Amino acid sequence: MTRKIIAGNWKMNLVHKDAINLISKISDFCESETLNGIEVVIAPTFLDLVEANKITNGKKLNIAAQDCNDQEVGAYTGEVSTEMLKAIDNQIVIIGHSERREYYGDTDEFVNSKLKRVLKTGLIPILCVGESLADRKAGNQEKVVASQLEGALKGLEADDLADLTIAYEPVWAIGTGETASPQQAQDMHQFIRTYLNTNYNAIVSEETSILYGGSVKPDNAKELFSQPDIDGGLIGGASLKYDDFTQLIKIGVEVLR
Ligand code: PEP
């Protein structure tokens, strides 16, 4: 059984006051709804994490960091460690987002090092993978995703992966308004599950949540979330709008199984 998750990645949006207001509203929504085991996550900027984790403490809404450093402590200007996240009771960390890979040079090796640090600290990683438009056009999407998985998971054993969540986010669908068709998304999610079965074991394959990300909106979510190997969504733009995000949560509650 996989965990079913609706997660919002706020990227570099919303000043502190607005972020906290929206988190409070989404948290109130989650408290008032029957979520049927669906986990709801918001990843605001580092600046918001202390307060966001405080106001959601003991509530249904979970808070995630958008990234972390791979080192335990030390002279790494501008960085935030997993120990710092743990100390403020922040349990979830997104790593390997395509924007980190594309704009800030996060390589598979660096993502692997971050993933190991996250797991060592006892936090829960959401590992992002996904091919570019050129890769998709060349028919290389499975090759690319397999190589990202191989790079990110290098040196880890099946037992290490109990808390792993993967987000499949085709780069060509992120923030572009283009979405993978439900079948394209399902095919890749199935491919990832098979990869986990082949390289680890059936338990990892059956219990790793695989989220889809890439222009998920209320009008396309139902079909995407109904696919057998899609366990929820990692949502950018639509998670910044209260009405859209709460609608996505409702759709998740209705169709994610
Ligand atoms: C994302 O950045 O993780 C994402 C999926 O963004 P959007 O929903 O805006 O495409």
Side-chain angles (χ1 to χ4, degrees):
M1 228 338 226
T2 58
R3 292 157 55 220
K4 310 297 181 203
I5 302 168
I6 301 291
N9 172 18
W10 281 0
K11 313 188 185 190
M12 199 175 72
N13 289 293
L14 303 180
V15 297
H16 181 65
K17 181 167 70 61
D18 295 341
I20 295 305
N21 280 342
L22 187 50
I23 283 171
S24 302
K25 279 179 69 183
I26 293 170
S27 178
D28 289 347
F29 171 84
C30 292
E31 291 304 305
S32 68
E33 287 287 305
T34 303
L35 295 181
N36 282 341
I38 304 290
E39 296 174 39
V40 183
V41 179
I42 289 287
T45 71
F46 283 129
L47 280 180
D48 308 316
L49 290 180
V50 172
E51 195 166 347
N53 276 292
K54 258 188 206 153
I55 62 175
T56 56
N57 187 16
K59 304 250 167 85
K60 294 183 198 163
L61 180 62
N62 300 286
I63 301 297
Q66 296 176 17
D67 192 28
C68 65
N69 191 262
D70 66 329
Q71 300 298 311
E72 189 177 356
V73 64
Y76 303 100
T77 302
E79 293 296 285
V80 171
S81 74
T82 52
E83 288 296 340
M84 292 170 180
L85 296 173
K86 189 179 177 181
I88 58 161
D89 294 324
N90 187 98
Q91 291 189 321
I92 308 171
V93 189
I94 298 172
I95 47 178
H97 191 279
S98 65
E99 287 153 13
R100 299 289 327 165
R101 293 176 188 261
E102 190 179 342
Y103 307 142
Y104 305 103
D106 283 20
T107 59
D108 285 333
E109 205 182 0
F110 198 21
V111 172
N112 174 247
S113 189
K114 288 183 185 189
L115 180 58
K116 286 178 176 161
R117 177 63 57 197
V118 168
L119 294 172
K120 197 166 180 189
T121 314
L123 302 183
I124 299 171
I126 299 179
L127 167 69
C128 301
V129 295
E131 80 286 358
S132 68
L133 183 59
D135 295 327
R136 165 78 48 180
K137 279 189 172 158
N140 288 336
Q141 62 272 18
E142 291 185 352
K143 216 161 107 190
V144 169
V145 168
S147 124
Q148 288 173 337
L149 288 172
E150 193 187 335
L153 302 178
K154 199 169 180 179
L156 294 166
E157 305 293 332
D159 285 352
D160 300 320
L161 304 184
D163 287 330
L164 179 68
T165 293
I166 293 174
Y168 167 57
E169 301 204 305
V171 178
W172 49 273
I174 296 181
T176 58
E178 283 231 23
T179 322
S181 69
Q183 193 57 52
Q184 282 174 319
Q186 165 58 25
D187 288 349
M188 184 59 84
H189 282 230
Q190 195 174 39
F191 173 78
I192 293 171
R193 236 177 256 299
T194 304
Y195 178 96
L196 295 174
N197 193 21
T198 309
N199 292 280
Y200 294 91
N201 59 34
I203 298 174
V204 175
S205 167
E206 284 160 20
E207 297 194 349
T208 298
S209 299
I210 310 176
L211 314 182
Y212 170 76
S215 298
V216 176
K217 306 228 159 33
D219 62 5
N220 59 25
K222 200 165 183 169
E223 254 201 291
L224 286 161
F225 294 169
S226 303
Q227 300 303 313
D229 287 300
I230 296 186
D231 301 306
L234 180 55
I235 297 139
S239 70
L240 289 159
K241 297 179 197 134
Y242 176 84
D243 288 346
D244 283 1
F245 192 62
T246 52
Q247 189 63 31
L248 288 168
I249 296 169
K250 283 185 183 165
I251 294 169
V253 170
E254 188 194 333
V255 302
L256 287 170
R257 291 282 171 271

